[in-house]
Amino acid sequence: MTGPVPSPLLLIEDTPSLQMVYRSVLQTAGHTVQAASNAAEGMRLFQETGAVTVLLDLMLPDRDGLAVMREMLALRPETRVIVITANASINRAVEAMRAGAHDFLVKPFDEVRFLGAVANASGATGTLPKPAQKRAVTAEPDVVAEVFIGSSAAMRRVQTTIRSVAGSMATVFITGESGTGKELCAVAVHAGSPRAGGPFIALNCGAIPQDLLESEVFGHMKGSFTGAISDKQGAAAAADGGTLFLDEICEMAPALQTKLLRFLQTSTVQPVGAVRPRKVNVRIVCATNRDPAEAVRRGEFREDLYYRLFVVPVHMPALRDRGEDVVEIAEIALERFAREEGRQFDGFDPEVLDLFRRLSWPGNVRQVLNVIRNIVVLHPGGRVTLAMLPDSLQRAEPVTGAAPKPDATGGLDSLIGRSMAEIERLVIEETIARNGGSVPKAARVLELSPSTIYRKLEGWGLKPQL
């Protein structure tokens, strides 16, 4: 005897390319999807299919998305609506949340965040969280090698650490610049653990307005505040039996840090408006692109919470510190994107790979993937030449060896045209030099922690004075 067939997800997105991408990701994760390109078609499918999870773009050609959501909730209050909006319209997303939206996504968002939001909504409606199931099925024993492309010594150290810690319950604290793959690292920890069969719930603490963050983490009860028209399961409860990934943890408001510390100490969650707490079994993985110790020193992050979370640190190295990995990443990305777009490419000219090796890649792996995607989309195929690279990349100044010193008489003019990474290095090196080579003294001048400067010097291949 079979159980009831889950209702499909309803996707309402008017941009054909985005609708195709979202639909493909959802179907790959095991969901049945009905898609509409406008409000009228969306409302028709909503009534015909009985969908209880809806992905709704707020900018539709024939009607305001917020009005569509209100009509859906009036017809079926149990509906979980995930609204999608552009970064410039973040206030609209907040308005939607207050009007009863279950979650929101700000473009551009990655696949893990996308599927995490859907899994959370699906779990809240009582259906099986298929994205987490799919991840568990596809997790191979050596998933770490699959997640991280690159054979540099720096990446081998990261892979070794993840393999060692994945099987434990220890909290993992991931640091690294934006675009280095911190969320992929979290996915690898989850997929390599005994919890791989459970949910992986990702929450970006920096992308959610602070007045909504507590509800996102711990949930809320119907009527607990204006706009709470139904119960909402928080990310902590949705991750029960699996992993909760808190990205940009240092952006969390102090009041919520206190509640997170209590959650870590008691393993219980209490939704806003709830009378009693609930016990959950969750493994915490967190990440930040800041120096967490510096955030503690500045009073922006609780020291006791820092020591509670900073159990197994994993630092994701910048791409400029990974040697030949950039070539390996570019070649694999070219093959994959070409296959997705149905095109045939024959690799890179040597001049292109030489340029890739010499660039600083301030956007790290994410920047490389965007560049390769741009090439594949805008060209029919063949061998990738310098002329096929985006204009911004061709104008980028290669960085090799020590950072060149600016003209002492040039003032600000000598810095114009340089990348922020170069300027940062110039300022740090000059400050150290003016303080007799003392890193601690330079740290006080720059209001940084000495450990931050030591790590940067190590990344630049320089040996500081002790």
Side-chain angles (χ1 to χ4, degrees), residues 98-151:
R98 288 172 176 156
H102 180 78
D103 200 350
F104 71 91
L105 298 167
V106 179
K107 301 176 185 176
F109 45 83
D110 58 33
E111 182 175 328
V112 174
R113 167 67 177 128
F114 182 48
L115 291 178
V118 173
N120 193 356
S122 298
T125 60
T127 59
L128 198 62
K130 292 185 178 179
Q133 261 199 343
K134 178 69 176 180
R135 192 170 289 117
V137 170
T138 56
E140 300 296 331
D142 199 18
V143 68
V144 175
E146 295 179 12
V147 169
F148 297 113
I149 302 170
S151 52

Side-chain angles (χ1 to χ4, degrees), residues 290-308:
R290 297 171 58 185
D291 180 348
E294 178 64 16
V296 171
R297 189 184 73 82
R298 290 176 176 270
E300 298 166 352
F301 198 72
R302 288 182 62 114
E303 186 174 19
D304 48 1
L305 179 59
Y306 167 75
Y307 286 116
R308 187 87 187 192

Side-chain angles (χ1 to χ4, degrees), residues 244-367:
L244 175 61
F245 174 52
L246 298 174
D247 198 6
E248 303 305 343
I249 185 73
C250 287
E251 307 308 316
M252 184 176 283
L256 193 55
Q257 290 179 32
T258 302
K259 295 185 178 182
L260 178 60
L261 180 62
R262 188 181 306 121
F263 165 60
L264 294 173
Q265 292 168 338
T266 64
S267 296
T268 60
V269 296
Q270 187 164 353
V272 178
V275 177
R276 296 179 180 176
R278 169 192 166 189
K279 197 84 171 178
V280 294
N281 180 9
V282 174
R283 194 225 187 124
I284 300 292
V285 177
C286 54
T288 181
N289 59 11
R290 297 171 58 185
D291 180 348
E294 178 64 16
V296 171
R297 189 184 73 82
R298 290 176 176 270
E300 298 166 352
F301 198 72
R302 288 182 62 114
E303 186 174 19
D304 48 1
L305 179 59
Y306 167 75
Y307 286 116
R308 187 87 187 192
L309 293 172
F310 207 77
V311 179
V312 179
V314 177
H315 181 69
M316 297 299 297
L319 186 56
R320 60 183 173 274
D321 300 327
R322 292 174 53 183
E324 285 290 301
D325 281 2
V326 64
V327 173
E328 192 174 343
I329 291 167
E331 290 175 339
I332 292 176
L334 181 66
E335 179 183 351
R336 188 182 75 182
F337 294 157
R339 185 170 61 250
E340 290 176 2
E341 300 290 340
R343 300 184 180 181
Q344 180 64 48
F345 283 83
D346 303 317
F348 299 88
D349 272 356
E351 294 86 352
V352 174
L353 295 181
D354 183 57
L355 176 62
F356 283 3
R357 294 183 183 99
R358 292 184 290 116
L359 289 174
S360 63
W361 297 108
N364 292 295
V365 177
R366 186 181 297 129
Q367 183 184 4

